[in-house]
Amino acid sequence: MDIVGNCVAAIRGRGRLVVLPEGADDRVLLAARYLIDHAIAKPILLGSQAEIAVRCGVLGIRCDDLSVRNAEMDAGAEELAASLAAARPSLTTKMALRLVRKPLYFAGALVSLGAAHAMVAGVANPTRRVIEAAMMTIGLRAGIAIPSSYFLMLVPGRDVVPERAFVFADCAVNADPTASELADIAIAAAATARSVLREEPKVALLSFSTKGSAQHARVDKVRQAHAMIVARDPSLAVDGELQADAAVSAIVAAKKMPEPGVVAGRANVLIFPDLDAGNIAYKLVQHLGGAQAIGPFLQGFARPVSDLSRGATVDDVIAAVAVTLAQA
């Protein structure tokens, strides 16, 4: 299963615009060149035209067809700021102009106002800065109160079990979500599964308890989140609280649950009760289980935006662009 390849195929040749606010970074430039040369996307690079030209010369790549805008000097910044202020009552035009002179906010404004389909950043900025800019410019989806993150996990097959793809959330942003926040994470992750996995989501809210096998305040939180999700979206296939084995193994689910339903044993979206569990789980599955971990990506925003690790490779940038644009 090649999820990134499927995302590339879905967007290739469609002329989708992705804004890359860290345009002078060598990895971003090499990724932009690849995206253009392979008709995957049309990148908009933010930065100094002169600096980017120098870096392209050092890298030995063409730059004559790169779309470059300088947030600090862009002639359209005032119009962009006015439009952003009109869309966000909390911002005055003067405040908006100060923001859009900064690359992350300029990029977010372009996406918010429809001048780009997605934003991908983070090779030179910490996650919190990317989220802050996206919150101020793009905002969250209706009904979602917090941004969150997810990993795409490609778990290799073994014996008679085929390869499987999962969405793991939240593994990078929210340390100790409340029940309401956990519900937001689950609903956002379900939308991610539809757009990226191209599968109907089957959402498991994970715990150390399966349907009352243990009693604790932490279990209560997961149960409360489940009730909230069902009330908000009765059509969503979601269950909890479930232990991880009951969520992904039909054999275990049949033993632990009298009526496993459509989620237990078949889950493709795993929602972790806190960041400890999520971060530990994805790394164990990756390093001991041989899974491919792709991400983390951001979710819950009104328009697609993703964060990159500051240690990201060129391939990571390309993959992030493909996955993010596939959600546009």
Side-chain angles (χ1 to χ4, degrees), residues 219-282:
V219 178
D220 293 340
K221 179 179 80 168
V222 177
R223 291 176 186 156
Q224 292 164 10
H226 176 251
M228 292 175 183
I229 296 165
V230 171
R232 288 168 60 178
D233 187 357
S235 67
L236 181 62
V238 59
D239 204 358
E241 80 282 7
L242 298 176
Q243 290 167 289
D245 53 357
V248 301
S249 169
I251 294 173
V252 173
K255 292 177 179 178
K256 291 190 173 184
M257 303 170 64
E259 298 179 8
V262 298
V263 173
R266 303 175 180 85
N268 58 3
V269 179
L270 302 184
I271 305 301
F272 298 91
D274 55 44
L275 196 55
D276 279 335
N279 192 270
I280 291 166
Y282 99 78

Side-chain angles (χ1 to χ4, degrees), residues 139-147 180-188 228-229 232-233 300-302:
L140 296 168
R141 282 176 47 201
I144 300 294
I146 60 164
S180 177
E181 291 169 342
L182 207 56
D184 276 359
I185 292 167
I187 289 171
M228 292 175 183
I229 296 165
R232 288 168 60 178
D233 187 357
F301 287 97

Side-chain angles (χ1 to χ4, degrees), residues 93-105:
T93 302
K94 188 175 181 179
M95 290 167 57
L97 183 59
R98 285 201 301 270
L99 288 178
V100 300
R101 291 297 187 190
K102 302 175 182 179
L104 288 177
Y105 291 87

Side-chain angles (χ1 to χ4, degrees), residues 22-30 51-52 55 59 123-124 312 317:
E22 297 146 329
D25 187 282
D26 288 356
R27 295 161 294 175
V28 172
L29 287 170
L30 289 168
E51 183 181 0
I52 287 173
R55 294 313 309 160
L59 295 169
V123 296
V317 179

Side-chain angles (χ1 to χ4, degrees), residues 69 71-86 92-94 96-98 100-101 106 113:
R69 298 181 70 169
E72 296 179 7
M73 303 170 58
D74 194 274
E78 290 188 6
E79 182 179 352
L80 195 63
S83 298
L84 183 63
T92 66
T93 302
K94 188 175 181 179
L97 183 59
R98 285 201 301 270
V100 300
R101 291 297 187 190
F106 190 95
L113 300 172

